[in-house]
Amino acid sequence: MPSRSLVVLPEDSVKPILDAIGTASKSLRVKMFIFSDPALLKAVIAAQRRGVKVRVMLNSARRSGAADNDDTRKKLARAGIEVAEGNPEFDLTHEKSMVVDDATAFVKSLNWATRNLTGTRDYAVVTSHGREVREIVECFEADWHRQRFGPGADAHLIWCPGGRERISRFIDAARRTLFVQNERYQDPIIIERMVRAARRGLKLHVMARPPHTLKKDKLLEGVGGLRILEDVGVKIHKLKQLRLHGKMLLADGVASIVGSINLAPGSLDGRRELAIEVRDDEVVERLQTIAHHDWKHSHPLDLSDEGLLADLEDRAEDAQKLAIAVPRQREE
């Protein structure tokens, strides 16, 4: 019987992913933004050596030019594994997915990097629903062969480029509560939907990363988006100990979206991204537990002028771009 389950990191560790790779008997498809973890690399190579047809698609480079996957690409190729770069039609391949034997698929927020397996809040939904697995396989094949992938209006999964409408409808449908965890809040349409949700009385809990973790070219929109939400009464927190990397929305304790999509125009319009909407009781109940736990173990994010200046004290030049008046030091 088809099912869905949830992997929560760092609590669940890399074991569920390694176990799934270990069960592969026919095929393994991996699409990843960053792949550098030694244990996962060893497991994928082991699958190839026992006769599994393994194909790996890796993002070629970040927009900065950093090539995180070069070393892994060489090791995979030396092991005889077929490796391809992400489809050049997109700015980046940011999707994080795995399909085992055309039967089970992982839709993830996490990279296959050790830091994402041990020190960040991240998620993966595991599905054996045939339609969802087929969509991921079809997209993989299309990107591998540089062909167009069009899941259509009845797609079960949430794909980018695109995806803005599905996420907007999800927010619009929430009636009582909405928990959101994301690295970046930059997309004007998504922010508008969240503002309208707050104004109709929805209780929003937003978790974000501190401004100093945003890259220079993302700082203005990121800070601006968060301050707009705060101005309409949305509570915005940051995790105390873990680094937030997961991308998750949880509405009314009954439905959730999990995947790789940042709430930013670049993710929604220019990158290959993937997320899944789930309503399975077991998955949603655990996400509810994690969301409440994380909120309890978080701090309000200080978005006042003083708070931003303190957070960006090592980035004074960037802070000036926020049009915040820097207080003058009094002369002795």
Side-chain angles (χ1 to χ4, degrees), residues 55-76:
R55 284 185 290 166
V56 178
M57 190 178 304
L58 300 173
N59 184 61
S60 58
R62 294 175 182 263
R63 291 185 305 109
S64 65
D68 304 281
N69 297 314
D70 280 358
D71 186 55
T72 295
R73 186 180 289 106
K74 293 174 184 176
K75 291 177 180 177
L76 291 170

Side-chain angles (χ1 to χ4, degrees), residues 1-20:
M1 184 175 178
S3 65
R4 299 185 189 91
S5 60
L6 181 70
V7 178
V8 179
L9 291 168
E11 287 85 345
D12 294 344
S13 79
V14 70
K15 187 176 185 300
I17 304 173
L18 290 174
D19 287 348

Side-chain angles (χ1 to χ4, degrees), residues 167 170-171 178-181 247-251 255-257 263:
I167 295 173
F170 184 88
I171 296 170
L178 183 67
F179 282 86
V180 186
Q181 293 183 346
K247 300 94 171 66
M248 185 272 286
L249 296 92
L250 174 66
S256 183
I257 290 176
L263 302 179

